[in-house]
Amino acid sequence: MLLIFGLSVFFRTIDEGTFHCHRCGGDRAYRRRAGRRWFTLFFLPVIPLGRVGEVIECRTCRARFQASVLRLPTAHEMAAALPAGMRAAVGLVLRAGDPTDPATRRRAVEAVRGYGEHNYDDSAVEADLRLREEFLDEEVTRAGGQLTVEAREWFLAQVVRVALADGGLSDAERQALHRVAGDLGLSPAHALGVIVTTEGAAR
């Protein structure tokens, strides 16, 4: 009688979700699969051996990735992070100045709508002004993580224009702008350059 035996790796699905597949180039469904080596007899698993780790498998193209790929944001998450980050940045700057100034609030609404939240309005400004500053910092940091250096500069410039809507920058507004810049990942010197350049262009 011929016996056919060997070693094979078998995977089982332990989780499912959505991730950004680099091979497909978009958000796709995935399966998180745990692998284990088995001793096989007649190609059937008989004796479990060592574990071989986990992989993330795209359900569309079947490509497999390391589990660390799940730490990367999906396109949907990136799209949501930018308007949320601008809302938070505007909230931090409005608190440092006069949040009741009509020109400033109008410019704040325009800035947030420019980042994709088209329904943002004055009532939303009021709601954001009641949020914890720590939460606002986190939202700006999350947005900064999606942006290139040039895009961070443009983002900060938009916030500077909000602060300038009621006139020159106060010391408190400058501190708030540097706080936003730090959340975005810009150095103090880099932030100062963007702020001064934007001020100069507004004169």
Side-chain angles (χ1 to χ4, degrees):
M1 179 179 177
L2 179 64
L3 293 177
I4 301 176
F5 59 88
L7 298 175
S8 295
V9 175
F10 292 87
F11 288 90
R12 65 184 179 88
T13 299
I14 58 175
D15 191 21
E16 295 183 342
T18 303
F19 82 129
H20 185 80
C21 177
H22 298 296
R23 181 168 294 180
C24 292
D27 293 351
R28 298 289 186 268
Y30 73 83
R31 294 189 299 177
R32 187 178 193 133
R33 313 197 74 199
R36 189 164 196 164
R37 186 172 287 106
W38 288 74
F39 176 83
T40 61
L41 184 62
F42 293 111
F43 305 108
L44 298 174
V46 178
I47 302 174
L49 302 173
R51 300 181 187 277
V52 296
E54 297 179 1
V55 296
I56 304 303
E57 182 182 272
C58 177
R59 296 187 70 103
T60 301
C61 69
R62 304 301 180 189
R64 289 180 175 177
F65 305 92
Q66 296 292 322
S68 59
V69 74
L70 296 183
R71 293 201 294 266
L72 301 175
T74 64
H76 177 75
E77 289 169 339
M78 287 190 285
L82 295 182
M86 180 55 72
R87 285 183 68 159
V90 162
L92 289 169
V93 170
L94 285 177
R95 292 177 189 210
D98 179 6
T100 64
D101 180 73
T104 303
R105 291 175 80 106
R106 188 163 51 249
R107 187 68 186 87
V109 168
E110 290 173 0
V112 175
R113 287 181 177 179
Y115 272 78
E117 191 156 336
H118 305 296
N119 295 323
Y120 192 72
D121 57 16
D122 200 61
S123 62
V125 174
E126 285 295 332
D128 289 347
L129 289 172
R130 293 192 292 269
L131 296 172
R132 293 183 302 106
E133 290 191 355
E134 295 79 9
F135 172 77
L136 299 180
D137 284 326
E138 291 171 2
E139 291 293 293
V140 177
T141 299
R142 188 173 294 111
Q146 321 300 328
L147 301 172
T148 64
V149 173
E150 293 78 9
R152 292 176 195 174
E153 292 174 351
W154 179 256
F155 186 105
L156 178 60
Q158 299 308 306
V159 183
V160 175
R161 292 185 181 101
V162 172
L164 286 169
D166 62 350
L169 297 177
S170 67
D171 289 342
E173 286 173 326
R174 289 185 189 279
Q175 291 177 5
L177 289 169
H178 277 280
R179 178 176 183 168
V180 169
D183 291 340
L184 288 171
L186 297 175
S187 69
H190 198 160
L192 180 61
V194 174
I195 293 168
V196 170
T197 301
T198 309
E199 277 186 290
R203 291 194 183 103

